[in-house]
Amino acid sequence: NLKRLGNRDELKFVIADMTDYDYAREMLDIIDSICPSSAAVHFSPCFGSMDLEKLSHWILEDFLDVRLNLQLHKFIWDPRRKGV
């Protein structure tokens, strides 16, 4: 399906550690070679596992054209909270 990606599509990689980050970075190269589209790519840190500052630093250091995607609801409300 990578060949079918278009500018209205989005991809999300959940990053928990450097291994996940390296995999996602390798996938970016594969995606660019197969389908040089302008599909948005999101790197989402695994809440409670991945340090936001560290992931931000890696992205900036590697000049990646990705969006840092945070689970805002977990910052606004306690992630252990269930229903209201």
Side-chain angles (χ1 to χ4, degrees):
N1 286 332
L2 293 176
K3 293 178 182 179
R4 301 183 72 172
L5 289 174
N7 60 357
R8 296 179 68 200
D9 296 312
E10 298 190 19
L11 299 169
K12 175 176 143 182
F13 292 93
V14 178
I15 312 292
D17 54 27
M18 180 58 99
T19 302
D20 289 343
Y21 178 79
D22 288 338
Y23 172 80
R25 202 176 56 199
E26 289 172 18
M27 286 302 299
L28 289 177
D29 291 336
I30 292 168
I31 292 164
D32 285 342
S33 69
I34 292 173
C35 171
S37 72
S38 57
V41 177
H42 301 269
F43 278 18
S44 183
C46 184
F47 190 82
S49 300
M50 182 72 241
D51 180 69
L52 301 177
E53 187 174 345
K54 186 181 288 188
L55 178 56
S56 300
H57 178 75
W58 293 343
I59 291 169
L60 293 171
E61 188 176 68
D62 291 336
F63 300 100
L64 298 183
D65 185 18
V66 300
R67 299 173 183 177
L68 181 61
N69 183 344
L70 305 179
Q71 296 174 302
L72 292 179
H73 60 284
K74 291 186 179 178
F75 290 94
I76 296 170
W77 298 283
D78 184 334
R80 296 170 300 201
R81 185 174 167 191
K82 303 287 184 202
V84 176

